[in-house]
Amino acid sequence: MKFLVVAGTTETATVDGISAAGADPTATYHTPAADLELLEYGDTVFTPSVPVSPSGCPTPAVITRSVRELAPFELLAVESGLATATATPTLTACQQPGGDIREPEPVPTAEESFERARQVGRQLPDDELFIGESIPGGTTTALGVLTALGEPFGVSSSLPENPVSLKQAVVATALDASEIRGGDLAGDPRNAIRLMGDPVLAAVLGVAVGATETGTSVTLAGGTQMIAAGALVRHFGVDHPLEIATTAFVAADETVEIQRAAESLDLDLTVTDPEFERGDHVAFERYCRGEAKEGVGMGGALAFAARAGISMQEIRAQVVETYEEVIGSDGP
Amino acid sequence: MKFLVVAGTTETATVDGISAAGADPTATYHTPAADLELLEYGDTVFTPSVPVSPSGCPTPAVITRSVRELAPFELLAVESGLATATATPTLTACQQPGGDIREPEPVPTAEESFERARQVGRQLPDDELFIGESIPGGTTTALGVLTALGEPFGVSSSLPENPVSLKQAVVATALDASEIRGGDLAGDPRNAIRLMGDPVLAAVLGVAVGATETGTSVTLAGGTQMIAAGALVRHFGVDHPLEIATTAFVAADETVEIQRAAESLDLDLTVTDPEFERGDHVAFERYCRGEAKEGVGMGGALAFAARAGISMQEIRAQVVETYEEVIGSDGP
């Protein structure tokens, strides 16, 4: 098994109130680069600090890293639109950050990023891939893509109160800017990304398409952004079996109806519950209140750990250890 | 053990007659990106073709890859001035290709690249590092750096007839352009790279310094470019033990006197002879005539294989297999 994490940025994240992936909107530029460092080294190297939300919720990379400590897996970091340097070795699908989807063409590199990632997906020798993501603002671009494809699913949020109407307003402006209507880009996933998405979705689509072309099993490791990725793969015309693995936090989100979305897109859904309410620690507190929920492959990593026979209790203990090492025992 | 290969470019390679690392001077821009793909995937992915010299000599990456097939080692590809995309995951020390050393400041990124690589060298958890390189034109920039440091060693060549006087003329012009004389930058290795070197040397120096700071054993895997790297590390003030591992082809080169250079710089030298004269195949022919000689960590990889108990006969058989797979049985 190889665990891919595709990391990038979109200026859409700087819309006030859209994302919790960083202490403030500009700090979110470092978040994906820092997430990759956490996964690779267990700490930040070039990036200034471990990403925490304004309320102190740690990045889901802390959980994915903790799983990796207990059940080592091979990581392949893919860069598609990072805005800052990372010390983690990355396969580069594209170097240009994504623009704000309220502009006419936020992802001019969509085709290039897709093609490179597709070649890589074909080339990977592994039988099985997990694909996760790290991109602040990514649920909004996911909603943009789903809307362009005409797939009527809601999206999750890293904030406890999902700013649904704000996201919908951003997507409505984005449709206007690109002079399209919802559903206009059904069957045209690359243009859906180019006009309404982000560079990470382009690379996720490319790797997933390339991998299925060579018979590799693909698990989309994430929540609603991976629903958008699944929709893109289906609109590309792939009918190969696909898995999606997410957390109980996403499954519990009523805005999302992930079961219905997975069923509609013929994605085989696995939900894993890390039972954070049983862990009495600041690392878990905000997750229990509905923050973060998913990201950086967390749901896939938990499913992988469960399959490897690691208990959720062991994972929680490791999360506490990782948290105290990288953030400190008193929180940020 | 982790095997690093630092890959990049210098415009110095386009001086007519300087390098054999590619079918023509502009093809050398792809060479380091292709070398990294060969090491990682056993074939090219994004790059157009496997690097061969004008006479058909395969890149030393074919040998290093063959060793990796027989004695798997963990590869860490470091990018420091690549000019084209590679499908191999890379740690990015610097994204700007090196300029022609006949210009005043060919490597303005030297300090940045050094510092990033040093942080990475400190962070690597391994007990032992091998460090190789891939940069066409690299022996000329190596001569530039050695001259600036006042280290009077000759350099090798990927051509059977080493164009020594051409390299010396280029270095003389470079000294003039930077308004320095030979030896002026003794004890100032970063400026020696900035004015007379290439981005790959900056990253090799950084990783080696960072690794020795945390007690990691370092083997410089290469010939005269790694003599230059060793000189840079010594001029930085590091007196930690350092190894250098190269091929019999470099050791046999009278222009070089690698034994004397290694001794003078207190580098512990290992020479490995793959006995290519015993292999009756086009893959070996040009090496026996003194072409290529070394590169992409070849000498270090051979030493690692020997230590792992792999015979040179097994390696030659694997080289033939790799060659026929990636280049074809009739040569390029």
Side-chain angles (χ1 to χ4, degrees), chain B residues 263-283:
Chain B
E263 205 170 296
S264 159
L265 294 165
D266 193 19
L267 307 175
D268 191 5
L269 174 67
T270 302
V271 174
T272 311
D273 185 355
E275 299 168 335
F276 279 176
E277 71 283 359
R278 295 189 172 193
D280 180 27
H281 192 273
V282 61

Side-chain angles (χ1 to χ4, degrees), chain A residues 61-128:
Chain A
V62 167
I63 290 94
T64 304
R65 169 68 193 190
S66 298
V67 168
R68 201 174 176 216
E69 299 268 355
L70 297 170
F73 52 77
E74 207 184 329
L75 174 72
L76 174 54
V78 177
E79 167 176 351
S80 196
L82 282 183
T84 60
T86 181
T88 298
T90 55
L91 195 160
T92 305
C94 133
Q95 292 189 324
Q96 192 177 321
D100 188 325
I101 56 170
R102 295 170 304 175
E103 302 293 327
E105 192 190 22
V107 194
T109 57
E111 184 66 28
E112 175 199 351
S113 181
F114 167 82
E115 276 304 337
R116 283 198 187 171
R118 183 183 190 173
Q119 269 184 278
V120 169
R122 281 185 189 144
Q123 195 74 16
L124 292 173
D126 312 83
D127 294 334
E128 188 183 15

Side-chain angles (χ1 to χ4, degrees), chain A residues 45 76 87 89-91 95 119, chain B residues 45 76 85 87 89-91 95 119:
Chain A
V45 182
L76 174 54
T90 55
L91 195 160
Q95 292 189 324
Q119 269 184 278
Chain B
V45 183
L76 173 54
T90 55
L91 195 158
Q95 293 188 323
Q119 268 184 281

